[in-house]
C-alpha cells in the first residue's frame, strides 16, 4: 500500500464478470447496448460500483482516468459475426473506444481495450457496451475485468 492510496489520493474502481451466462440481447445490428450480467464490485477508492457494471467517480477533484477492459466473448448464434466491445461515459458510447472481435466455431474470442478519459468530474460514470455488427444474434460476454484508475 502506498502513501497515496492511504491518503485517498488515487482514484480507482474495479468491476468483474466471471462465468457470466446472461446473454446481451441484440435487437438492431451495429447498435451498441449495455452489456448484460451481474457484476461484482472489486477494490475501489473514490468510486461506487453497481451490480449493473457502472463505475461512478465519487471524488471531488477533476482528473484524467485510464479506463480499461479485458474480456472473453462468445457468439450466441451461428456464423462468424463481428462484435464490438465499447467503453461508454455517462451512458454514451465513446465512438473511438472500442475493439472488434470475431469468435469462430466453438471458440471464444478475447480482447483488451484501454482509453484515457480527461476531465472526469464527480458523478461521471463508465460502462461497457457491446454490438453485433453482422446481424441480431445475441452475444455473451463471459468474463470481464473493467477498471478505472488515476
Amino acid at each position: 500500500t502506498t502513501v497515496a492510496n492511504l491518503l485517498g489520493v488515487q482514484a480507482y474502481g474495479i468491476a468483474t464478470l466471471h462465468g457470466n451466462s446472461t446473454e446481451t440481447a441484440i435487437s438492431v445490428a451495429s447498435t451498441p447496448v449495455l452489456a448484460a450480467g451481474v457484476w461484482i464490485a472489486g477494490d475501489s477508492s473514490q468510486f461506487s460500483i453497481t451490480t449493473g457494471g457502472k463505475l461512478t467517480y465519487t471524488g471531488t477533484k477533476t482528473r484524467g482516468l485510464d479506463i480499461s477492459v479485458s474480456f472473453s466473448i462468445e457468439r450466441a448464434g451461428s456464423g462468424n459475426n463481428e462484435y464490438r466491445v465499447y467503453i461508454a461515459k455517462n451512458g454514451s458510447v465513446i465512438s473511438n473506444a472500442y475493439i472488434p472481435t470475431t469468435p469462430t466455431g466453438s471458440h471464444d474470442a478475447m480482447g483488451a481495450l484501454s482509453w484515457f478519459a480527461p476531465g472526469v468530474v464527480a458523478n461521471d460514470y463508465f460502462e461497457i457496451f457491446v454490438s453485433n455488427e453482422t446481424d441480431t444474434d445475441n452475444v455473451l460476454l463471459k468474463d470481464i475485468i473493467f477498471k478505472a484508475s488515476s
Side-chain angles (χ1 to χ4, degrees):
T1 304
T2 66
V3 172
N5 287 341
L6 291 173
L7 297 175
V9 173
Q10 185 177 14
Y12 57 90
I14 300 170
T16 60
L17 282 176
H18 291 295
N20 182 36
S21 61
T22 304
E23 293 181 3
T24 300
I26 304 291
S27 58
V28 179
S30 300
T31 302
V33 294
L34 184 63
V38 178
W39 295 75
I40 299 168
D43 291 339
S44 66
S45 172
Q46 301 182 58
F47 270 89
S48 66
I49 304 165
T50 69
T51 57
K54 183 186 291 186
L55 276 64
T56 302
Y57 176 59
T58 59
T60 57
K61 178 182 175 183
T62 300
R63 62 175 74 225
L65 295 173
D66 291 313
I67 313 296
S68 63
V69 59
S70 57
F71 62 89
S72 67
I73 192 169
E74 181 179 285
R75 63 191 176 102
S78 60
N80 294 327
N81 296 350
E82 178 187 323
Y83 298 103
R84 292 183 181 179
V85 176
Y86 293 85
I87 295 170
K89 179 181 178 188
N90 297 332
S92 297
V93 167
I94 308 302
S95 62
N96 64 346
Y98 74 89
I99 189 164
T101 186
T102 306
T104 57
S106 61
H107 303 288
D108 296 349
M110 294 180 274
L113 170 64
S114 183
W115 178 70
F116 181 74
V120 176
V121 298
N123 299 315
D124 279 349
Y125 63 92
F126 301 91
E127 298 168 298
I128 301 300
F129 279 60
V130 63
S131 70
N132 181 338
E133 297 298 302
T134 309
D135 56 32
T136 57
D137 286 346
N138 292 345
V139 61
L140 178 61
L141 287 163
K142 290 175 62 175
D143 297 291
I144 302 178
I145 299 171
F146 181 31
K147 181 182 81 164
S149 63
S150 61

